Amino acid sequence: MCGIVGFTGVVQAAPILLDGLARLEYRGYDSAGIAVKRDDTDKIEVVKVKGRLKQLADMTDSGRTVRGFCGIGHTRWATHGEPSVINAHPHHSDDQNVVVVHNGIIENYLELKEKLLKSGYTFYSQTDTEVVTKLLDYYHRKYQGNTLEAIVKVMHRVRGSYALGIMLKDEPGVIYSVRKDSPLIVGKSEEGNFIASDVPAILKYTRSIYYIENMEIVRLSKDQIAFYNIDQEEIEKEPVEIKWDAEAAEKGGYEHFMMKEIQEQPQAVRDTLNSYVKDKKIDLSSVGLTEEEIKNISRLYIVACGSAYHVGMTAKYVIEDLVRIPVEVDLASEFRYRNPVLAEDSLVLIISQSGETADSLAALREAKNRGVRTLAVVNVVGSSIAREADNVFYTLAGPEIAVATTKAYSTQLIACYLLAVQFALVREKIDAKYAEGLVEELATLPDKIAKVLEDKERLQWFSSKFSNVHDIFFIGRGIDYTISMEGSLKMKEISYVHSEAYAAGELKHGTISLVEDGVLVVCVLTQDKLFEKSLSNMVEVKSRGAYLMGLTNYGNYSVEDTADFTFYVPRTDPHFTTSLAIIPLQLMGYYVSCAKGLDVDKPRNLAKSVTVE
């Protein structure tokens, strides 16, 4: 949520700010703005719009009319105050000496606002960010222009999450930045220095990145970067070289990032497997869990949000069946508030694509405070969750730009499969021969995913036929239920179609009353042991007028006797069917969204990286 870009250097700032913000559009936003220190005056010029970045680019002739070598930019996802030009960032002090962009939420902004009102400040917006801006101005005046001291005082007074980009008219060519629980990176290049919320924003300009830790401050000028802790002591940091191909964050000829990322799944799965499988054996040495530690785990808690939560639900079925230890799956937003009872010698597994998900990060810290070991499955090296977890399993999905996750979800599944097989082997629940057979089957998944993608035109035809449907139900049993959950989420988040997922056996407990003529029901049947029971559920909804789609394995051709449309995926080990069956459901969501003319990559009200609670 929200994107921040800042630049100070020897070339014009505004075009860089607009370009960087465009590369952060996947984070979700409803307004945008830039602030640039004019090179012909001491003024900091602020330009803001409600709506898309294109409007801001048009207003400034792609940044050419706002001339200056130092600036900050922002895309806002509304939390405090409606989307509007007034509430858009950047925000400024009364005399426009202090200008700020902010990602996060200030929890005690009303209390701070009351203090500032009593000190003579006035407010033009409804935002918490304006409060922080004027609090910074208050301390900047109190400490006679000592900006570092003023920032530290703000950090002591503010409660909540924040990444701040700060400019001051009194310090031309300088940007300050500070973070607490919201993502922030710093980049260095020959033309100048950058701040940003995420790597894609500045990857075009530099591969040399510094990751900023909680409660750290950075001061940038065109040729210097200085880092400080909250005690104002200068600290040393080593840059990290980003290995991504810059084209990985581009569309590469596809109409949408989502379709590009769907098509990249075979390679992403292959890359993740190859990183942890050597000579048909799983090697978790880079994760850091020893065999002794694996043997001593008594219970596993999986904590995640959204699609990652659905990965956790699949992992529960796989791990309990193979490893034979109890697994609990929690929504991260509920985990710490239910005051969980965590068993000794347990492991908390946190799953997050970005590694910055606020609820998941809070759950990680709750587990660590209770003395429980944590393992993170994340896609972003150096992210907050990766840095704070005891152990990290990195997926190799590469940059994922579309809001709706596809390839990151698929690589998270692979991570959980590998953990399940290795845990089962180490704990002697399966023998080496069986484990090797499972690993060999995992190696076939990339080609089988590619095989499913070859048949996407049939799904495009089917999806366009049902693009105006109002209700869709996804049903399945066991692992098929977890597939249904993710399929339903894909449909609703990018197509705005009301969809629900149900365990098929629960239909008789009330849900079936919602089934009537014309309602589309997608039934997933990949588990042979549950096939006949799921088929019976299909017959139940068919008799009530539903239009049926069956999603099943090659060979289960009897489904066609009941379903109106059937899609087949290659056979694999029943533990791994999610990796194949989810592909057609991703494609369905995509094609329905396209048929409705919607913004596939940036669905309304959603953000890629949810960094507020």
Side-chain angles (χ1 to χ4, degrees), residues 15-16 19-20 188-189 191 194 201-207:
I16 292 174
D19 180 66
K188 182 178 180 62
S189 77
E191 293 184 327
F194 306 80
I202 59 176
L203 189 58
K204 176 180 176 180
Y205 307 99
T206 180
R207 293 179 175 276

Side-chain angles (χ1 to χ4, degrees), residues 90-119:
H91 285 284
H92 56 80
S93 58
D94 293 343
D95 63 358
Q96 297 196 337
N97 181 52
V98 179
V99 181
V100 171
V101 292
H102 167 220
N103 180 10
I105 288 182
I106 306 305
E107 295 172 359
N108 61 332
Y109 82 103
L110 289 175
E111 168 195 326
L112 297 171
K113 189 173 185 177
E114 283 297 316
K115 169 188 170 59
L116 291 167
L117 285 168
K118 292 175 182 177
S119 298

Side-chain angles (χ1 to χ4, degrees), residues 159-388:
R159 296 195 306 272
S161 61
Y162 50 84
L164 302 177
I166 303 162
M167 291 172 60
L168 297 102
K169 189 166 55 177
D170 292 350
E171 294 188 60
V174 173
I175 297 173
Y176 288 89
S177 198
V178 58
R179 74 161 294 222
K180 177 181 180 290
D181 297 339
S182 289
L184 180 70
I185 60 169
V186 170
K188 182 178 180 62
S189 77
E190 291 183 0
E191 293 184 327
N193 298 313
F194 306 80
I195 60 169
S197 298
D198 204 353
V199 172
I202 59 176
L203 189 58
K204 176 180 176 180
Y205 307 99
T206 180
R207 293 179 175 276
S208 184
I209 302 297
Y210 298 88
Y211 289 100
I212 310 304
E213 301 290 344
N214 261 355
M215 310 306 280
E216 289 183 350
I217 308 163
V218 59
R219 183 185 188 275
L220 287 77
S221 63
K222 66 180 181 180
D223 51 13
Q224 285 187 322
I225 303 175
F227 303 97
Y228 303 90
N229 61 24
I230 199 169
D231 296 320
Q232 302 182 51
E233 300 167 333
E234 190 164 357
I235 55 179
E236 297 294 324
K237 280 189 176 290
E238 292 297 321
V240 174
E241 175 134 9
I242 299 300
K243 304 294 186 182
W244 296 350
D245 179 350
E247 293 182 0
E250 302 295 336
K251 289 182 183 176
Y254 289 94
E255 185 177 357
H256 301 103
F257 279 112
M258 184 177 179
M259 177 52 78
K260 175 177 180 281
E261 290 157 8
I262 288 173
Q263 296 284 351
E264 288 174 342
Q265 286 177 110
Q267 190 59 48
V269 167
R270 186 177 289 111
D271 289 345
T272 302
L273 283 169
N274 289 343
S275 293
Y276 297 96
V277 176
K278 314 295 181 186
D279 300 322
K280 297 183 180 180
K281 291 183 172 58
I282 298 171
D283 179 5
L284 297 183
S285 57
S286 62
V287 176
L289 279 175
T290 67
E291 290 194 359
E292 191 63 30
E293 288 166 340
I294 292 172
K295 288 178 181 178
N296 289 333
I297 294 171
S298 63
R299 182 179 291 264
L300 183 64
Y301 304 91
I302 302 177
V303 185
C305 303
S307 292
Y309 172 77
H310 300 155
V311 171
M313 290 294 293
T314 299
K316 173 182 172 69
Y317 283 99
V318 176
I319 293 170
E320 287 192 339
D321 190 52
L322 290 177
V323 187
R324 308 308 299 161
I325 60 172
V327 179
E328 294 183 26
V329 187
D330 270 279
L331 290 164
S333 56
E334 294 293 327
F335 179 76
R336 60 181 168 145
Y337 294 117
R338 72 174 178 87
N339 193 20
V341 178
L342 304 181
E344 290 186 19
D345 299 322
S346 59
L347 177 69
V348 174
L349 175 62
I350 308 288
I351 307 175
S352 168
Q353 187 280 137
S354 67
E356 302 291 350
T357 311
D359 289 318
S360 299
L361 183 58
L364 168 70
R365 291 169 177 165
E366 178 70 17
K368 289 177 71 72
N369 288 340
R370 292 167 180 253
V372 177
R373 190 179 194 92
T374 55
L375 167 63
V377 173
V378 297
N379 190 47
V380 180
V381 176
S383 56
S384 297
I385 290 174
R387 292 197 302 273
E388 295 190 28

